[in-house]
Amino acid sequence: METATPRTMTSRERVLAALRRQPVDRTPVCNPTSIATVELMDLVDAYFPEANREPELMARLAATGYEELGFDSIMPVFSIIQESSALGCKIQWEQKDNWPTVKMREPIWQEPDDIRIPNDLLSHPDTACVLEAIGILRRRYGDEVAIIGKTMGPWSLGYHCFGVEDFLLMSLDDPGKTKLCLDRMKEVTIRFGLAQIEAGADALTLPDHATGDLVSGDYYNRFLKDLHGEFAERLPVPLILHICGRTVDRMGYIAETGMAAFHFDSKNKPEESMQAVHGCTALVGNVNNPETLYARGPEAVREEVVRNLEAGVQLIGPECAIPLQTSIENLVEIRKTVVDWHAHHGLAH
Ligand SMILES: [Zn+2]
């Protein structure tokens, strides 16, 4: 049976429909993670590190994704350290051409009882900045474009607050203790997420760096699957789980969590990934960053976008936060290819 052709949708409607796996007028171009670049910073006079710390600059730089690149979403949380800063981690803020990072050689916690969520979690300047930027974007763009927030999962927070090595060692030595830590840290994910929804976010990216090369699919099942299910229940907007690396071995589990979408890495082929999630979660991705978007030209970008469209991937975008030196020319090619492809192939699914 033919489904009725949806009328022309706004960018916001398009993204939200695709996240619900409902019909769309064309596949949305979506960035669950940062698409900020040095070129875009120059265009709107909003630079790192200030654009990570001042709401107006954060909103202005993020809006270039919609205004200059033609994406259907705006995602202002460029870094992965805003809430870790509020938790007390020391941050290396870096310069225009680099992302801020947590100084992981100076972990703040060692034991579950060290975990304390400060009273100013949501009023700390680095979390408040995100909430204000989302508010500014909502007011500026109304219902026109999807505003996507970001709240880090407890596995990532564990890396930041305990140190990557110590956190992974703990998971080997004492799984029970690790689960207790995750359970305590999950409240940060929930509270920051709820505050962003209240500020106007339509959807949330939830990065939880149980990445392919550090953590197995079995680990995902034991430590994170239930927690991610709990997030999907307690955060009342579509959630986009982000995990880098080769993750096909856990996509089946992810599909059972109730996450609206999974933002997947180009180390996974679109076809095998669509099969692995078997229609139970949408996929977002997965144009390669270091080789294609950063080092090659529009022709290579086009090829990858088409491959995703042909596989039925519901939302198209870069696989992860893009390198800051990526060219505008390559980024613009993503939307252009999606529009051209639909002109020849008609509607998506
Ligand atoms: Zn990533």
Side-chain angles (χ1 to χ4, degrees):
M1 197 179 81
E2 289 280 308
T3 42
T5 306
R7 63 183 169 76
T8 303
M9 293 172 133
T10 64
S11 286
R12 180 170 183 255
E13 290 171 327
R14 193 174 287 137
V15 169
L16 291 176
L19 287 174
R20 298 196 171 98
R21 285 171 283 125
Q22 290 167 353
V24 286
D25 61 344
R26 71 157 167 82
T27 307
V29 179
C30 178
N31 62 307
T33 51
S34 169
I35 46 170
T37 68
V38 170
E39 242 183 305
L40 292 169
M41 291 179 206
D42 285 331
L43 267 181
V44 293
D45 223 4
Y47 300 94
F48 281 11
E50 294 80 13
N52 293 298
R53 309 200 79 182
E54 290 174 31
E56 172 54 37
L57 298 180
M58 182 180 264
R60 208 196 299 162
L61 179 57
T64 58
Y66 177 66
E67 301 282 358
E68 307 293 331
L69 308 178
F71 278 52
D72 293 296
S73 52
I74 299 181
M75 208 296 297
V77 200
F78 312 115
S79 82
I80 59 171
I81 52 91
Q82 305 286 147
E83 57 270 68
S84 294
S85 174
L87 290 174
C89 293
K90 297 219 174 69
I91 308 297
Q92 178 106 29
W93 284 100
E94 298 290 353
Q95 294 302 313
K96 175 183 176 182
D97 56 354
N98 221 338
W99 278 288
T101 52
V102 170
K103 294 182 180 172
M104 283 204 253
R105 288 179 197 285
E106 300 172 49
I108 54 169
W109 296 333
Q110 265 106 43
E111 295 294 327
D113 283 344
D114 298 337
I115 299 173
R116 289 225 166 66
I117 303 179
N119 291 331
D120 70 344
L121 175 71
L122 303 174
S123 55
H124 183 282
D126 291 323
T127 43
C129 175
V130 169
L131 303 177
E132 281 173 47
I134 289 172
I136 291 170
L137 289 164
R138 183 88 283 156
R139 287 192 294 279
R140 213 163 274 170
Y141 290 95
D143 288 341
E144 196 180 314
V145 53
I147 313 282
I148 302 179
K150 189 208 274 176
T151 184
M152 302 301 292
W155 196 271
S156 291
L157 294 174
Y159 286 169
H160 291 174
C161 298
F162 288 79
V164 176
E165 231 169 282
D166 286 353
F167 192 72
L168 285 172
L169 280 176
M170 191 206 301
S171 71
L172 286 172
D173 290 347
D174 196 337
K177 194 157 114 179
T178 306
K179 283 190 175 174
L180 182 59
C181 290
L182 292 168
D183 206 58
R184 289 182 179 174
M185 289 186 288
K186 82 179 176 202
E187 295 306 327
V188 177
T189 310
I190 298 275
R191 285 173 57 189
F192 195 32
L194 286 174
Q196 291 178 59
I197 295 167
E198 201 173 312
D202 291 310
L204 294 172
T205 303
L206 201 151
D208 215 4
H209 289 95
T211 46
D213 45 350
L214 293 178
V215 168
S216 68
D218 173 55
Y219 247 61
Y220 181 83
N221 187 30
R222 277 194 290 148
F223 288 105
L224 291 173
K225 188 182 154 207
D226 290 347
L227 270 175
H228 288 174
E230 190 180 334
F231 292 141
E233 261 172 41
R234 290 176 64 188
L235 293 165
V237 293
L239 299 185
I240 306 167
L241 179 66
H242 173 88
I243 305 177
C244 323
R246 174 90 184 148
T247 50
V248 154
D249 63 352
R250 66 213 68 180
M251 285 185 196
Y253 297 130
I254 291 167
E256 291 169 16
T257 58
M259 289 277 171
F262 180 55
H263 186 206
F264 74 126
D265 191 301
S266 63
K267 290 196 177 80
N268 313 278
K269 295 192 184 79
E271 303 81 12
E272 62 177 352
S273 305
M274 285 299 287
Q275 219 166 29
V277 298
H278 52 82
C280 289
T281 184
L283 288 177
V284 193
N286 75 347
V287 182
N288 174 281
N289 283 341
E291 275 130 49
T292 307
L293 280 171
Y294 173 65
R296 299 178 71 192
E299 200 50 47
V301 174
R302 178 168 279 264
E303 231 170 80
E304 282 193 38
V305 170
V306 167
R307 182 163 183 188
N308 275 286
L309 289 166
E310 280 173 355
V313 169
Q314 289 90 347
L315 302 99
I316 306 292
E319 60 182 349
C320 190
I322 61 167
L324 294 170
Q325 283 75 19
T326 306
S327 73
I328 288 180
E329 190 193 15
N330 276 355
L331 291 166
V332 166
E333 190 68 20
I334 300 177
R335 177 178 183 274
K336 196 166 168 289
T337 305
V338 169
V339 170
D340 288 351
W341 190 85
H342 279 288
H344 287 101
H345 293 80
L347 286 175
H349 341 239

